[in-house]
Amino acid sequence: MVRIQSLLVLALIATALGYKRYEGYKVLQVKPENEDQVHALVKMNQVLGFEVDFWRDARAVGRNCDFMIPPEKESLVMDFLAYFGITPKVVVNDVSVMIDRSMKEQQEKPKIDWKAVKADPNQFPLDQYHTHDDINAWLQSVAATYSSFVTISSLGKTLQGRDMLFLKIGTPKPNKNALWIDAGIHAREWVADATALYTISQLVNGYSTKFKTLLDAIDIIIAPSVNPDGYEYSRLSDRNWRKTRSGPRQGCYGVDPNRNWSFHWGESGVSTSPCSDIYDGPSPFTEKNCQNMKAYLDANNNTIKGMLTLHSYGEDWIYPWGYKTHTYPPDVNDLRALGLQAAAAIQAVHGTKYVVANSADSLYPAAGASDDYSKSIGIKWVYTVELRPGDGDTANDHQYGFNLPAKFIIPTAEETFPGLMVVANRIMTGPN
Ligand SMILES: [Zn+2]
């Protein structure tokens, strides 16, 4: 009874704050058994004439695909699936319950004592999701504490004026090669940002010991939250927000910042509707956060040898090209081989099995993503990493989608870290 009351109170608070409720929304999971079914899922939005929110895109035969449906569209979607012989499994019966739980977790987390954290950034709780301001304040404290080998800079400001801070971690020397890691380009994929923060903490704490050789040789650049306008919107207004916050265009906000890059922009896997979650924008690089990232990558593409972009979810280690199926860069064998090493390193930690695959072949082609752009400007080791949850771990956490409870942050980050270091070590040893 107490629990019901507290949930009711939360629901009232959420409504009062204007937080999008998703009452009665379900998440369905389907596993296509043939190419026709995959194709039907990919075309579902177009055929039905409304936007089903895909949490995990339709991909190859035998791979799970998750999507959220509003209650009023449920029978229409069920009929569509039945027509193609697809049997769905309900993985989330009511998304609002999940969101209430996530809000409760946010409200109950202990407040940060910034005085202590400023003196010792290791006091910062890495097993929680944080506000943009707290993330930036922590980055400042890390840079101040470890100033002999950490520098802090900004990629620039977002549309709403948020600072896109990043750290460069490594012994100061001229002309070093570097690994770039970004996270959170999709707003709702919170565990990606959290994993980037954990990665920073591991590197700065291990600098003088296990990572000395690595960080003497290369720099690791980490931009832990590269769509902060969207991130804050997903924290404060709509947990399922994916895009930026530009607009409105036709009454809708945001562009998918991972469809807004110029390489083969708009050719596949996008929507031209500003109300779609995969809207590619009116033209390439309309989004300020993408412009800021592009400027840095362009200016440093001689030294940046690896680009890892952290997303959730699915447990996939993905290499280019993504814009077209069966289309690969000339060094695809290198990319695949190193990807398999990274996946093995991940699996060695908690047993989580990642799928290593080409972006367009394993997902569906989607043009205008940051990985393809980075590869196109000459960066060698480029991967999109889809973190937990997924089908490859034994934690039985797949039902959470983007709302992965905070208790899974550390296991996720712990297993991801050695995968990232496989790429870092490869850049150190070369050739790149
Ligand atoms: Zn994503």
Side-chain angles (χ1 to χ4, degrees):
M1 190 60 192
V2 172
R3 187 176 144 70
I4 291 170
Q5 274 174 349
S6 75
L7 284 176
L8 204 64
V9 169
L10 269 170
L12 288 171
I13 293 170
T15 310
L17 290 172
Y19 207 89
K20 193 163 174 183
R21 292 281 301 137
Y22 293 99
E23 211 149 337
Y25 281 62
K26 286 188 169 73
V27 177
L28 303 184
Q29 184 171 86
V30 299
K31 191 183 273 192
E33 290 165 0
N34 53 55
E35 288 293 337
D36 285 350
Q37 290 184 349
V38 177
H39 197 67
L41 291 164
V42 169
K43 295 283 171 204
M44 185 159 71
N45 281 349
Q46 223 172 314
V47 174
L48 294 179
F50 66 91
E51 291 289 331
V52 171
D53 181 5
F54 278 85
W55 284 21
R56 188 159 40 154
D57 285 334
R59 42 191 88 192
V61 171
R63 304 230 37 216
N64 281 328
C65 155
D66 306 338
F67 49 88
M68 180 175 70
I69 50 166
E72 68 276 13
K73 303 288 189 191
E74 193 173 325
S75 61
L76 199 59
V77 172
M78 290 301 188
D79 288 350
F80 176 88
L81 296 174
Y83 180 82
F84 288 97
I86 301 169
T87 315
K89 187 168 106 186
V90 178
V91 282
V92 182
N93 198 41
D94 188 340
V95 174
S96 70
V97 174
M98 181 193 261
I99 289 174
D100 287 346
R101 189 217 9 95
S102 166
M103 280 193 73
K104 191 162 181 276
E105 188 177 86
Q106 287 295 300
Q107 284 167 353
E108 286 176 354
K109 71 177 189 194
K111 290 269 168 285
I112 296 171
D113 175 4
W114 273 111
K115 215 173 152 195
V117 169
K118 280 213 170 88
D120 177 10
N122 293 308
Q123 301 286 323
F124 188 74
L126 293 167
D127 59 350
Q128 292 173 17
Y129 297 114
H130 295 285
T131 66
H132 171 73
D133 285 348
D134 282 353
I135 290 172
N136 273 6
W138 182 69
L139 294 175
Q140 300 278 10
S141 86
V142 170
T145 305
Y146 301 99
S147 59
S148 64
F149 62 94
V150 177
T151 53
I152 188 163
S153 319
S154 175
L155 294 169
K157 293 269 171 77
T158 63
L159 181 70
Q160 295 178 343
R162 294 190 176 87
D163 215 1
M164 294 172 64
L165 296 181
F166 68 96
L167 299 183
K168 185 156 94 174
I169 305 169
T171 311
K173 281 180 195 167
N175 305 318
K176 286 173 79 185
N177 284 337
L179 168 64
W180 160 286
I181 301 171
D182 69 68
I185 195 166
H186 284 145
R188 62 191 176 184
E189 300 170 4
W190 292 3
V191 79
D193 310 56
T195 296
L197 302 187
Y198 174 93
T199 301
I200 289 168
S201 167
Q202 287 293 303
L203 290 171
V204 298
N205 282 299
Y207 171 74
S208 55
T209 53
K210 52 191 167 180
F211 304 121
K212 181 84 177 100
T213 312
L214 176 71
L215 294 169
D216 277 350
I218 73 164
D219 291 327
I220 299 183
I221 297 158
I222 303 183
S225 194
V226 294
N227 177 11
D229 293 350
Y231 180 77
E232 282 300 292
Y233 193 76
S234 87
R235 282 192 343 95
L236 298 171
S237 298
D238 181 351
R239 180 64 190 86
N240 289 314
W241 192 257
R242 165 182 166 101
K243 299 189 286 179
T244 61
R245 290 297 299 163
S246 61
R249 302 177 184 92
Q250 296 173 26
C252 291
Y253 285 87
V255 165
D256 183 340
N258 210 32
R259 299 285 186 277
N260 191 236
W261 298 62
S262 59
F263 187 71
H264 291 269
W265 176 81
E267 287 182 12
S268 60
V270 301
S271 169
T272 52
S273 162
C275 299
S276 166
D277 263 333
I278 51 170
Y279 175 49
D280 59 355
S283 57
F285 291 120
T286 47
E287 302 314 285
K288 196 76 175 57
N289 62 325
C290 298
Q291 292 169 19
N292 295 341
M293 293 167 74
K294 171 197 164 23
Y296 189 86
L297 292 167
D298 283 354
N300 296 284
N301 68 340
N302 288 333
T303 50
I304 295 177
K305 301 297 177 187
M307 187 272 188
L308 302 173
T309 179
L310 307 184
H311 289 245
S312 79
Y313 59 94
E315 297 166 357
D316 297 294
W317 192 278
I318 295 163
Y319 55 88
W321 303 110
Y323 73 94
K324 197 174 175 195
T325 48
H326 310 304
T327 308
Y328 314 101
D331 59 351
V332 62
N333 290 335
D334 296 353
L335 289 171
R336 182 162 174 80
L338 194 71
L340 289 168
Q341 284 180 39
I346 291 171
Q347 192 179 348
V349 180
H350 296 301
T352 303
K353 290 192 183 103
Y354 268 57
V355 173
V356 180
N358 168 260
S359 176
D361 294 356
S362 76
L363 306 170
Y364 233 69
S370 67
D371 55 356
D372 273 10
Y373 180 84
S374 300
K375 189 66 187 161
S376 80
I377 60 167
I379 298 174
K380 167 85 184 174
W381 306 105
V382 174
Y383 299 99
T384 293
V385 184
E386 296 281 358
L387 304 175
R388 286 197 198 189
D391 306 316
D393 68 79
T394 52
N396 195 25
D397 55 4
H398 66 273
Q399 73 273 27
Y400 297 117
F402 305 109
N403 304 281
L404 195 65
K407 69 176 179 189
F408 291 107
I409 291 174
I410 298 297
T412 302
E414 271 173 353
E415 68 190 12
T416 307
F417 183 73
L420 308 179
M421 289 307 104
V422 164
V423 181
N425 284 315
R426 185 66 175 78
I427 292 170
M428 173 174 69
T429 56
N432 296 295

